[in-house]
């Protein structure tokens, strides 16, 4: 059924149509309306789930790890400092191979205190063993939850999945969203039934100490699953399209990239604005394109190499930063392209931190700057829009 | 992988389950050999107050009505909390090898 809703409500309905059985969450701006909506769906009986109230995000994740180990389908949502507080247990969830699905409403970390969007919170979880998707719109927010469960619960994957949506730009902005029938979702997504469970009638101990002759082997198994998840995402999205009649562009969505002189690589909702700017510049005869990195973990190495074959210049727009060495996406893209023939010119832009607005005018300026880099980048990295830096 | 297979031989990473799983519970997993010192009770001082039983972090002390505390040395880790908490100093921590 088509409804008009915010990204946060799309998250809540995503959990509902997937029949998440245990929800545990702690409220934080701008995530709050996800759990408020779920709480009201549970209390009205529309959603048959147990809602576990906890005193922190750390406890929320701990509760879900245990619930997931009993074989329950689990869901939570958080943001920024809440996600950072979960960090220890995110690593535990991946190591325990619990297919938890979580929405992270991407919000800047403090101080300086901020409630607005950037990707620093999500990027700081890169090495936890969670799959990570970044969404452009509210339909994708909902659909990515369905796809996430499908892949996360696959016996050879069994990894948790984080769906990232930008604070306010998606979380509090309404769009038409098709909420699929639960029967259709049931067809696509069988119930979760792990072989070994926390079960009082047949007790097992999980996550126990191992000696150094086994530890690395267990870590290798996580990595093997994450590598398999790359093809897994492609397959799941194809299946999804067969059932629901839409897709969201695979691991990397290419927008007018073929034979473009310059492409901006973007994550999250800024991609929508960038598409408009691409259309405008193309109508003026400039050959520009936009690629949207949708799945960040596992990292889409093949798609990035494919992009390098389509264009001569890539502007890598990080909605985040690693103090001391480029933005995280720039590091990974440059790593993936290291050593290939005909490497494109690359430049890293740091954009939109703490909700600094990414208007069509600013994006157009970045496109034009990037087009001008035919003979090599003027600098490796540029912070866009910082007052006092180069013309802003 | 069945419960039987979980007990099987481990040669390669493929033989392992997704995450470490044990089919034995902690009562049959005897970890008492870790300790250096063990508690020894002086029955003449003990007033059977249960305090040591309450404080033992390893549930290694059992007490039945009107009996002296019994130490399960297969699980006692030798932390000495029971000796510290005993109001009558009825428990002494003794180096394991030193006592017959
Ligand atoms: S605490 Fe001391 S006195 Fe009390 S039961 Fe234990 S050994 Fe006996
Ligand atoms: S030494 Fe520690 S572990 Fe052993 S019985 Fe006393 S309190 Fe329990």
């Amino acid at each position: 059924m088509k409804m008009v809703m915010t990204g946060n409500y799309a998250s809540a309905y995503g959990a509902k149509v997937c029949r998440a059985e245990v929800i545990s969450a702690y409220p934080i701006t701008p995530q709050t309306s996800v759990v408020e909506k779920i709480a009201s769906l549970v209390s009205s009986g529309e959603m048959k789930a147990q809602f576990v109230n906890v005193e922190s995000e750390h406890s929320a994740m701990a509760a879900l790890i245990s619930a997931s180990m009993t074989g329950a389908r689990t869901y939570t949502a958080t943001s920024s400092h809440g996600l950072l507080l979960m960090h220890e247990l995110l690593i535990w969830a991946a190591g325990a191979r619990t297919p938890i699905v979580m929405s992270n409403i991407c919000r800047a970390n403090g101080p300086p205190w901020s409630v607005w969007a950037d990707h620093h919170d999500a990027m700081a979880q890169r090495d936890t063993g969670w799959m990570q998707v970044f969404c452009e719109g509210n339909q994708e927010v909902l659909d990515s939850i369905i796809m996430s469960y499908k892949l996360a619960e696959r016996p050879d994957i069994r990894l948790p999945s984080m769906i990232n949506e930008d604070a306010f730009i998606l979380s509090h902005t309404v769009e038409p969203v098709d909420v699929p029938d639960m029967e259709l979702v049931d067809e696509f997504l069988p119930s979760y039934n792990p072989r070994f469970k926390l079960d009082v009638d047949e007790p097992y101990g999980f996550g126990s100490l191992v000696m150094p002759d086994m530890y690395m082997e267990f870590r290798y198994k996580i990595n093997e699953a994450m590598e398999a998840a790359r093809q897994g995402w492609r397959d799941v999205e194809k299946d999804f399209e067969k059932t629901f009649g839409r897709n969201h562009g695979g691991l990397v969505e290419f927008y007018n990239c073929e034979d473009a002189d310059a492409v901006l690589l973007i994550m999250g909702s800024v991609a929508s604005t960038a598409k408009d700017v691409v259309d405008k510049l193309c109508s003026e005869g400039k050959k520009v394109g936009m690629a949207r990195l949708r799945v960040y973990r596992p990292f889409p190495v093949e798609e990035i190499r494919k992009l390098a074959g389509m264009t001569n210049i890539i502007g890598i727009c990080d909605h985040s930063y690693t103090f001391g060495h480029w933005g995280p996406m720039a590091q990974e893209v440059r790593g993936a392209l290291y050593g290939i023939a005909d490497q494109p010119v690359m430049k890293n832009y740091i954009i939109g931190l703490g909700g600094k607005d990414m208007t069509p005018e600013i994006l157009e300026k970045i496109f034009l700057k990037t087009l001008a880099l035919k003979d090599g980048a003027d600098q490796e990295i540029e912070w866009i829009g910082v007052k006092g830096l180069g013309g802003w | 992988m069945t419960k039987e297979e979980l007990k099987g031989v481990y040669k390669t990473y493929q033989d392992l389950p997704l995450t470490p799983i044990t089919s034995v519970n902690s009562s049959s997993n005897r970890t008492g050999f870790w300790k250096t010192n063990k508690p020894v009770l002086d029955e003449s001082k003990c007033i059977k107050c249960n305090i040591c039983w309450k404080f033992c972090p390893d549930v290694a002390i059992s007490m039945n009505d009107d009996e002296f505390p019994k130490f399960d040395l297969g699980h006692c880790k030798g932390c000495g909390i029971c000796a510290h908490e005993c109001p009558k100093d009825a428990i002494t921590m003794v180096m394991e090898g030193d006592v017959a």
Side-chain angles (χ1 to χ4, degrees):
Chain A
M1 181 176 44
K2 280 234 173 183
M3 294 162 75
V4 173
M5 64 173 76
T6 62
N8 278 358
Y9 275 28
S11 299
Y13 277 103
K16 175 182 182 270
V17 296
C18 290
R19 299 187 196 275
E21 295 163 284
V22 180
I23 318 293
S24 186
Y26 190 82
I28 181 170
T29 302
Q31 155 265 34
T32 312
S33 55
V34 180
V35 287
E36 275 175 358
K37 183 67 187 171
I38 292 179
S40 81
L41 289 170
V42 171
S43 72
S44 71
E46 263 183 89
M47 187 170 169
K48 302 224 171 342
Q50 193 165 349
F51 194 107
V52 185
N53 282 308
V54 281
E55 77 289 4
S56 76
E57 288 83 356
H58 192 274
S59 306
M61 189 45 63
L64 290 195
I65 291 169
S66 313
S68 181
M69 289 196 311
T70 69
R73 184 168 288 158
T74 56
Y75 175 82
T76 188
T78 191
S79 235
S80 181
H81 289 263
L83 183 67
L84 303 185
L85 183 57
M86 277 182 186
H87 181 75
E88 179 201 3
L89 287 155
L90 297 185
I91 293 176
W92 191 277
R97 307 298 291 275
T98 46
I100 299 165
V101 171
M102 166 164 70
S103 297
N104 175 49
I105 321 305
C106 291
R107 163 187 153 183
N109 298 321
W113 206 234
S114 167
V115 294
W116 293 278
D118 76 34
H119 296 165
H120 195 238
D121 55 353
M123 290 293 152
Q125 315 310 324
R126 184 191 67 176
D127 300 340
T128 54
W130 281 61
M131 301 190 278
Q132 286 201 43
V133 190
F134 285 79
C135 300
E136 181 182 340
N138 294 349
Q139 184 71 57
E140 187 180 355
V141 163
L142 190 152
D143 292 348
S144 298
I145 292 175
I146 306 175
M147 285 187 238
S148 280
Y149 280 117
K150 176 94 170 178
L151 186 58
E153 292 172 0
R154 227 173 73 179
D156 63 326
I157 304 289
R158 284 280 299 275
L159 289 172
S161 181
M162 187 188 306
I163 294 116
N164 295 290
E165 60 177 278
D166 289 331
F168 300 108
I169 299 167
L170 297 190
S171 70
H172 287 66
T173 306
V174 294
E175 285 188 323
V177 172
D178 173 37
V179 180
D181 287 345
M182 286 172 84
E183 291 65 35
L184 197 60
V185 179
D186 289 343
E187 240 174 70
F188 178 75
L189 184 67
S191 59
Y192 176 49
N193 193 16
R195 188 71 179 268
F196 295 101
K197 302 177 191 182
L198 268 185
D199 180 352
V200 283
D201 294 327
E202 203 192 347
Y204 290 105
F206 292 86
S208 53
L209 179 83
V210 301
M211 293 296 147
D213 73 327
M214 267 189 199
Y215 182 85
M216 208 160 154
E217 283 74 6
F218 276 112
R219 302 318 263 184
Y220 182 75
K221 287 172 90 78
I222 299 174
N223 188 60
E224 194 178 49
M226 190 60 98
E227 298 280 349
R230 204 174 276 125
Q231 187 55 39
W233 274 108
R234 298 183 191 112
D235 296 342
V236 161
E237 195 162 10
K238 257 186 223 131
D239 284 358
F240 184 91
E241 187 168 14
K242 257 183 239 153
T243 310
F244 300 96
R246 57 178 174 263
N247 74 60
H248 296 285
L251 282 74
V252 176
E253 181 193 355
F254 301 109
Y255 190 80
N256 206 45
C257 294
E258 201 65 66
D259 291 325
D261 289 331
V263 165
L264 290 189
L265 184 60
I266 290 177
M267 294 168 94
S269 57
V270 177
S272 270
T273 320
K275 284 174 182 171
D276 280 353
V277 178
V278 166
D279 291 348
K280 174 177 183 271
L281 291 174
C282 285
S283 73
E284 295 166 6
K286 301 195 172 67
K287 288 169 74 181
V288 293
M290 195 275 316
R292 180 170 71 95
L293 196 139
R294 178 167 168 261
V295 177
Y296 180 65
R297 273 293 177 279
F299 193 75
V301 178
E302 289 90 339
E303 282 80 354
I304 292 297
R305 291 190 181 146
K306 193 172 157 202
L307 175 66
M310 293 172 169
T311 184
N312 305 318
I313 313 169
I314 305 179
I316 306 158
C317 300
D318 266 295
H319 225 118
S320 185
Y321 46 93
T322 67
F323 296 110
H325 188 45
W326 301 340
M329 182 164 58
Q331 295 180 11
E332 308 229 11
V333 169
R334 284 171 161 139
L337 299 185
Y338 179 75
I340 63 154
D342 296 323
Q343 219 179 72
V345 172
M346 283 177 270
K347 180 172 173 184
N348 187 193
Y349 299 106
I350 306 296
I351 63 163
L353 301 188
K356 197 181 267 292
D357 230 359
M358 291 306 294
T359 61
E361 293 72 29
I362 293 174
L363 279 163
E364 183 171 338
K365 221 166 154 181
I366 302 174
F367 269 113
L368 297 177
K369 269 171 175 287
T370 310
L371 268 174
L373 302 176
K374 279 190 208 59
D375 304 319
D378 54 336
Q379 42 188 329
E380 284 182 344
I381 179 165
E382 182 177 354
W383 287 54
I384 294 296
V386 175
K387 293 187 174 70
L389 278 185
W392 297 100
Chain B
M1 203 172 282
T2 64
K3 198 161 184 167
E4 265 38 67
E5 284 171 287
L6 278 176
K7 296 180 187 150
V9 194
Y10 155 58
K11 288 205 184 76
T12 71
Y13 80 93
Q14 289 100 332
D15 300 331
L16 297 172
L18 290 177
T19 190
I21 302 172
T22 50
S23 53
V24 288
N25 61 28
S26 48
S27 67
S28 51
N29 188 12
R30 294 168 70 83
T31 50
F33 64 92
W34 294 352
K35 71 177 159 302
T36 309
N37 295 306
K38 70 175 181 184
V40 175
L41 182 70
D42 180 347
E43 293 185 358
S44 70
K45 290 184 181 169
C46 174
I47 54 166
K48 302 176 181 173
C49 68
N50 280 14
I51 287 177
C52 56
W53 171 81
K54 268 187 200 151
F55 273 89
C56 173
D58 264 5
V59 204
I61 300 175
S62 53
M63 283 193 85
N64 292 319
D65 288 348
D66 288 331
E67 281 179 21
F68 289 115
K70 284 195 201 66
F71 302 99
D72 168 8
L73 296 181
H75 291 93
C76 162
K77 65 171 117 187
C79 65
I81 288 173
C82 54
H84 185 265
E85 297 296 336
C86 171
K88 294 292 169 188
D89 288 333
I91 301 172
T92 317
M93 299 304 293
V94 181
M95 184 81 90
E96 272 224 287
D98 289 1
V99 174

